[in-house]
Amino acid sequence: MRLILLYVVFSMSRAEELTEVGKFSNLQHRIAGTVFTSGSSNLVIKGFNYDGKGPNGDSNIFFYAVNSSYPYSPEDVERGYSNSAGFKEILPYPFEGIFYDYEDPNIPDLRKHFEVLKEQQNLKGVSWDDTIELTLPAGMEVTDLTFLSVWCRKLGLNFGSVEFPLKKKLYD
């Protein structure tokens, strides 16, 4: 009984540590979910949805954290888009302790993960994990982010994103 009570108390205190950032906008492929912070270097997504569609190929669709006025691709920065400078970081999911460069062909792809879930669940639709946890690279904090996007590298396209509020609004 004490073990169960300890687990409930721990679970409740962990849930209380989450601070809501916002909800994903859906631009394409039924992107949905609510993003929370969990400390200064972790993001938690609850109720995530993505329909598993997009261009063929591996390692093309992933979570993309940026610090610019919009989720821009590296090519957009080279083209000189206004306020496109700032970091762009891939947040791999599922996370296996490795961060990837933008052009790396081994980035865990959300489409592949969708197909695995579809096979495991043997359903028409797919139920994503209840909670998706994303880890930021060392030296990056949640307060550095301006957007989290579900990004398609092949098309250089934002499927849906969450805009992060100013630091004051997030932690006041």
Side-chain angles (χ1 to χ4, degrees):
M1 180 68 173
R2 288 183 187 176
L3 183 59
I4 292 172
L5 182 58
L6 181 61
Y7 175 76
V8 169
V9 170
F10 175 76
S11 296
M12 288 174 60
S13 67
R14 178 141 170 88
E16 291 172 8
E17 294 174 16
L18 297 180
T19 301
E20 184 174 334
V21 174
K23 297 184 184 320
F24 273 99
S25 63
N26 172 41
L27 301 175
Q28 294 188 36
H29 300 296
R30 298 183 182 152
I31 301 300
T34 304
V35 177
F36 299 85
T37 64
S38 175
S40 62
S41 61
N42 294 304
L43 299 173
V44 173
I45 305 171
K46 292 186 176 274
F48 180 71
N49 187 64
Y50 159 57
D51 68 9
K53 297 180 181 173
N56 290 333
D58 297 337
S59 305
N60 282 318
I61 300 168
F62 43 77
F63 291 107
Y64 193 47
V66 301
N67 177 283
S68 59
S69 61
Y70 190 75
Y72 290 105
S73 71
E75 292 81 16
D76 292 337
V77 176
E78 289 174 15
R79 291 181 195 120
Y81 283 25
S82 178
N83 298 316
S84 63
F87 66 77
K88 284 109 180 81
E89 197 67 49
I90 294 161
L91 302 182
Y93 181 80
F95 184 60
E96 297 172 345
I98 301 170
F99 291 98
Y100 298 85
D101 292 328
Y102 188 82
E103 295 299 330
D104 194 317
N106 299 310
I107 299 167
D109 188 296
L110 290 176
R111 278 190 61 195
K112 279 185 168 180
H113 190 66
F114 176 89
E115 292 301 322
V116 168
L117 291 174
K118 189 174 175 182
E119 190 174 300
Q120 288 173 347
Q121 296 171 11
N122 198 18
L123 302 169
K124 283 185 180 180
V126 168
S127 177
W128 283 82
D129 304 327
D130 290 336
T131 301
I132 291 177
E133 295 189 28
L134 301 174
T135 303
L136 302 180
M140 183 185 298
E141 294 191 359
V142 169
T143 54
D144 298 328
L145 304 179
T146 54
F147 284 92
L148 176 67
S149 171
V150 176
W151 186 259
C152 176
R153 174 176 57 190
K154 190 170 189 176
L155 300 176
L157 196 61
N158 176 16
F159 285 174
S161 60
V162 173
E163 185 172 4
F164 281 65
L166 297 173
K167 293 178 189 179
K168 291 187 283 185
K169 292 182 183 177
L170 197 57
Y171 292 109
D172 279 351

